[in-house]
Amino acid sequence: MSAEKPNHLLILGVRHPDRRVPSLVDEKVDGDVDRIFHESPEGDSSKMKYSAWTVVKNPLAVIFGILRLAAFVVGNLAFAAKMVASGKANQLTLKGGGRTQCLQAAKQLSDKHEVEWEAVDVSLIERAKLVPRHLTLMSWLAVIFLLISVTLALSGSIPWMIATLGSVAFATTIGTRLGDVRRPIRDERMFENIHSACEKHDSSQVVLITGENHVQGVASNAAHWNVDYDTFWLSSTADIKD
């Protein structure tokens, strides 16, 4: 792969749900931009196929997904109740499409500079298939043990209550390890897609808006191919405030 383009890559790291992201990105990008890239998965992956592969390769993700969804619903209901109680019900809005603030920033920047934005991350189905076999085995074992532990803990068994907490900790470790395994592959793919798009569309000054954990990896790929770049962490877990 040659590295004639892009001439300059601006990598902006953000925390996806941070409400400040669109304004922070708008403030940082004030020069000429030929093309905008975002960490969205490439292609139109079937959600059904992705779900099926996730169940097969990493069933723990399904359990955590259900828990996150429940927390999201409860949190939003509590927020809505608080707004209604304080007489601000008219300020409530319904956000659809699951759009993150990061993606919203990419689309707003695209409209402002009148240039295209493009998804460059690994497709959802391919991402699910990237789970190594040993982690798949550990995920299934953790799910089975977690279900047994929860069942016995509900009967009042203190040892199994402790075992349940241990299962959750073990499952969290698996999730962390999975992220470490797939991240370099995703970082490399994002840079390759950016490079290919720049060659295809003759773009030289481009911007990537991505999650905070991908900044260094994409930058390393850019450095390897002698592409000039700048990195900025506009929004991170460390500084986000509600």
Side-chain angles (χ1 to χ4, degrees):
M1 180 175 68
S2 64
E4 297 176 358
K5 296 183 182 299
N7 293 335
H8 184 265
L9 171 61
L10 177 60
I11 307 171
L12 303 180
V14 302
R15 187 172 185 270
H16 295 294
D18 189 342
R19 298 175 184 176
R20 304 169 300 165
V21 168
S23 60
L24 291 172
V25 169
D26 185 59
E27 292 173 5
K28 179 58 64 175
V29 183
D30 55 2
D32 294 333
V33 176
D34 297 327
R35 203 164 187 83
I36 298 162
F37 300 99
H38 180 261
E39 189 200 319
S40 298
E42 60 182 341
D44 297 320
S45 300
S46 166
K47 293 293 180 65
M48 289 296 292
K49 288 184 179 179
Y50 171 65
S51 300
W53 272 106
T54 300
V55 171
V56 172
K57 298 286 288 184
N58 186 21
L60 267 179
V62 178
I63 294 178
F64 283 133
I66 293 173
L67 293 176
R68 282 196 297 266
L69 177 60
F72 173 79
V73 172
V74 171
N76 277 274
L77 287 175
F79 175 74
K82 183 178 179 180
M83 291 288 285
V84 172
S86 60
K88 299 179 181 178
N90 61 321
Q91 296 181 24
L92 288 171
T93 58
L94 181 63
K95 295 182 178 180
R99 180 183 300 180
T100 65
Q101 297 299 314
C102 180
L103 180 54
Q104 182 180 341
K107 293 184 176 182
Q108 287 185 186
L109 196 63
S110 173
D111 292 339
K112 177 180 178 180
H113 291 270
E114 298 182 342
V115 296
E116 295 291 332
W117 77 274
E118 186 171 335
V120 290
D121 198 0
V122 173
S123 69
L124 289 177
I125 294 177
E126 184 177 354
R127 194 182 303 181
K129 292 181 180 180
L130 286 174
V131 180
R133 291 181 179 178
H134 68 282
L135 285 182
T136 295
L137 176 61
M138 292 172 66
S139 181
W140 275 104
L141 290 175
V143 167
I144 293 171
F145 187 70
L146 181 60
L147 293 176
I148 294 174
S149 299
V150 169
T151 301
L152 295 176
L154 290 175
S155 67
S157 172
I158 294 179
W160 281 105
M161 290 181 184
I162 297 174
T164 299
L165 294 176
S167 298
V168 173
F170 179 61
T172 302
T173 301
I174 294 177
T176 302
R177 177 58 182 157
L178 177 59
D180 293 340
V181 169
R182 295 193 299 189
R183 190 174 301 129
I185 299 174
R186 294 175 59 193
D187 294 342
E188 182 177 5
R189 177 68 61 82
M190 280 193 274
F191 179 76
E192 290 176 350
N193 286 337
I194 289 171
H195 180 272
S196 296
C198 289
E199 287 288 322
K200 179 179 179 180
H201 301 285
D202 195 29
S203 304
S204 59
Q205 303 294 323
V206 299
V207 176
L208 169 65
I209 305 173
T210 186
E212 57 185 305
N213 293 324
H214 294 286
V215 173
Q216 195 58 52
V218 177
S220 296
N221 280 276
H224 178 73
W225 292 102
N226 297 317
V227 171
D228 184 45
Y229 69 90
D230 283 310
T231 59
F232 294 94
W233 280 265
L234 302 184
S235 158
S236 69
T237 302
D239 67 5
I240 187 171
K241 297 180 181 179
D242 294 330

